[in-house]
Each structure stands twice: as C-alpha cells, then as structure tokens.
Amino acid sequence: MHTLFPPSGPRRGPALSRRHALAATLGLLAAPAVLRGVPAFAAAPELGPATPTFQRFRLGTFEVTSLLDASAMIDGPWPIVGENRPATEVEALMAANLLPEKRFRPGFSPTLVNTGRELVLFDAGNGANGFVPPPAGGWLVKSLASAGYTPEQVDVVVLTHAHPDHIGGLMSEGKPTFPKARYVIGATEFDFWKSDKPLAAPKESNEYGSAVMFRSHFLPLADRTSFVAADGEVLPGIRAVKAHGHTPGHLAFHVESEGKRLLVWGDCAHHEVASLARPDWHALFDQDKEAGVATRRKIYDMAATDRLAVAAYHTSFPSIGYVERRGEGYRWVPLTYQLG
C-alpha cells in the first residue's frame, strides 16, 4: 500500500406557520427543480481566497480534514429542531444565545481521514441535487482539491446514512465521483432504503425523496459496497457506533489513532445550540422521533464523559468541537487550538 500523507506534511491551512414551514422544508427534497427554487435559501457568494474550505489536524498518526460542502442561510432552526415545541420557544433560545431567531446557517461538512495507508471519506455531501444544490452547495470536490486531494485518491467512502445531503455527491453527471473507492454503509440502513417501504411515503416527504436518490446515486455502487453493523470495524482504527433514530440504520463512527479519538456523529445534531441544549426536542428529519431523542442523549453523554473530539456534520464549519454538560442539556464547544 502506498503512503498517502503528502511529503511536506499536512497544510494548515414574517414567521412561517408550522404547516407552511414544514411544507417549505420538506419540499426541498422533492425534486431537483424544487431544490433550486426554494426562496428560504440565500445564494452564497462565489468561493474566493478568503473563504475557508477545509480545516486539517492530526489525530495520532492520522490526518483529519473537515471539508466545506455548502453554505446557505435557511429558515429555522424551528421546525428543523424543536418541531414538537412552539416556534416562540425555539426562537427564545436563539435570542438568549445571541443568534438570529428565525434564520441559521447549518454546516454541511464531510470528514476526510488519511490513515497513511487509505484515504477515507465520511459522507459525500449534496452534489448537484442534494439539500443545498449549487451554487450554494455541492462544493465537496472543490474543497477536496483545496485540501490537496483528488476524488481518484479516495479509497473508502463511509456513509453515516442515506439522506440526500450525504449521498448526493456520490455521483457526478451519472458517473461515480470517486471512481476507485469502495463504499461502506450500515446493513440496516441499506436494507431499509432498498426496500419498497420508503417509496410508499408521501412524494413531498424527505423519506420519499431520499429513497429516489438512493436508487439513482447509491444502488449503482452496490457491487462495490460492504456492510457494517453497530460496533463493526470499517478498517483498523475506525469502528461503527449505533445511532439509530434519524434514519433506521444511522451510524456514528469512532476514529482512533495512538489513543487519540474522534467521534464522527453524522446527524446526531442539526443545530449546535438547540440540538444540544434540548436533546429532548424532536428533529424534523428524524424518522423515529423518540429513538432520535434517545440517541442524542446517549451520544452527547458519551462525547462529554470521554471528552471526545467530534466531527458534527451540521454544526457551523469547520464542524469540529467538543461537548460539555450544561444543566440538563449540553453545550457545543467549537474547536480552536486543542488539536495540532
């Protein structure tokens, strides 16, 4: 096996009603034409020299890079977080934390791990037809290039789950974006999306839209795919962690090298304040609401107890940080200089 580390080392480089808010948010995933026309999104500026597109750090002998795939202001965080609570309650939490009450900028941040032997990508971003399509999203390949890598160098693509903002980047113009990669996904997740059950969901729903994209973007890669169960090993130093609820087979992943640990938790949070402060609040995109609550409590407790570094896909870019207990909830502590 060739060594993947670059010879020079890493570079451092008015409010919507509940009904209308739900319709607007779910409608994002109905079809590409709808995705491009939703007024809730603000077009992001073109990427330029002042726009950071990756952040890199060492984890033992591993090199970890967080990649920027999208940047858009959207309506929320209610009902994306707190759909079972009055909008005013969520807005009050935002105001208390000096954040806009009705708009937020979620992260969309795939994680790249260079083990020295293999280049492993966790999740593939939005691509052309995901939750945030171009021009505000679908930047993964550009961000990968900024970090010094090409899609052809990716050896393994690991999927936390199969929602469009995680699998949309698997295909580019009908061809695999990562032509030499093998793919890993939870067996439960794969079996659910391959079944006819999600296709019976309403056509305007996230579940239906995800099932359609699964067939166009992931099933063509099935012959290069292996399946992992909770606590299963992806490769040395990377193990799966059960995190069901958001989807039936949603997984997080432990990444460990020389005793240093990183938890890649996928969609265990959709907002760095609301999700952590109130893990009991339902998340709009969780398919099993109560299982989602239980998973958040378990995952946040583990991250706080073990003082783990966390790659949290939807927190603000670079989406790396820590979890601290705060009262009956938790607090997100963004990465500054804790990791070299």
Side-chain angles (χ1 to χ4, degrees), residues 1 8 15 52 79 161 256 328 335 340:
M1 286 286 230
S8 60
H161 64 296
E256 183 171 357
E328 295 185 3
L335 176 73

Side-chain angles (χ1 to χ4, degrees), residues 91-231:
E91 291 163 7
L93 179 62
M94 295 303 97
N97 285 273
L98 304 176
L99 291 169
E101 296 176 18
K102 300 177 182 180
R103 301 283 280 172
F104 79 114
R105 189 189 302 274
F108 293 87
S109 306
T111 302
L112 188 72
V113 177
N114 187 337
T115 70
R117 293 177 61 84
E118 291 186 286
L119 195 61
V120 184
L121 177 67
F122 290 90
D123 293 322
N126 289 274
N129 299 311
F131 190 71
V132 185
W139 299 343
L140 177 57
V141 172
K142 289 183 180 179
S143 295
L144 196 64
S146 297
Y149 291 108
T150 67
E152 290 76 15
Q153 289 178 286
V154 175
D155 296 298
V156 187
V157 178
V158 181
L159 297 169
T160 59
H161 64 296
H163 279 168
D165 53 326
H166 295 257
I167 67 170
L170 290 175
M171 289 285 182
S172 301
E173 298 181 346
K175 296 180 180 180
T177 304
F178 310 101
K180 298 180 181 180
R182 61 184 177 89
Y183 302 84
V184 179
I185 192 171
T188 300
E189 185 77 355
F190 183 88
D191 290 344
F192 173 78
W193 294 110
K194 187 179 178 182
S195 74
D196 292 333
K197 183 177 179 180
L199 289 174
K203 286 186 168 53
E204 69 275 12
S205 69
N206 182 34
E207 187 171 328
Y208 179 85
S210 299
V212 170
M213 183 172 281
F214 179 83
R215 282 156 174 74
S216 62
H217 284 62
F218 194 78
L219 275 186
L221 306 170
D223 62 343
R224 295 154 60 181
T225 298
S226 58
F227 306 102
V228 66
D231 201 39

Side-chain angles (χ1 to χ4, degrees), residues 233-246:
E233 184 178 78
V234 175
L235 51 86
I238 300 177
R239 301 191 69 87
V241 178
K242 183 179 178 180
H244 300 175
H246 181 60

